[in-house]
Amino acid sequence: MIQQFFFIISYMRSMKARVAERGQVTIPKRLRERLGLKPGTILEFKDEQGRLIAVKSHSADPVSAVYGCLSKKIDTDVLIAELRGRG
């Protein structure tokens, strides 16, 4: 009896989404808000015993990770020329 009660509560809290023709799925708004999923959030997907698991990726974009770390004021054309061996 108690087990059935928890199953009913769990079922009522579940959220459904349909897989579109191109494989896209819209994550329900309530779930996006609760998990802090914003536009641009990277998700990693994996299969665990027939279940689809999505986890927020914490790996930063390599460009974003170093953006602004150079304090030198250098002309980008000069920098690119140096990197290409033309400087």
Side-chain angles (χ1 to χ4, degrees):
M1 178 74 173
I2 292 175
Q3 198 172 27
Q4 288 176 336
F5 175 77
F6 285 117
F7 174 77
I8 292 169
I9 296 297
S10 175
Y11 181 78
M12 290 171 57
R13 289 185 183 171
S14 72
M15 294 173 241
K16 295 181 181 181
R18 184 179 309 269
V19 177
E21 189 174 324
R22 292 178 44 197
Q24 297 167 318
V25 176
T26 300
I27 301 169
K29 183 179 180 183
R30 198 170 67 193
L31 189 55
R32 289 192 318 263
E33 289 173 346
R34 186 169 46 192
L35 297 175
L37 301 175
K38 296 181 168 87
T41 300
I42 304 294
L43 298 176
E44 295 181 29
F45 295 94
K46 58 185 172 180
D47 170 26
E48 285 185 4
Q49 300 175 349
R51 293 178 179 220
L52 175 63
I53 308 294
V55 179
K56 282 195 280 186
S57 176
H58 295 289
S59 60
D61 170 33
V63 174
S64 298
V66 297
Y67 183 77
C69 70
L70 298 175
S71 60
K72 295 180 182 179
K73 297 196 184 241
I74 187 167
D75 183 77
T76 53
D77 292 328
V78 172
L79 177 62
I80 291 172
E82 287 179 12
L83 290 171
R84 292 181 178 165
R86 299 181 196 150

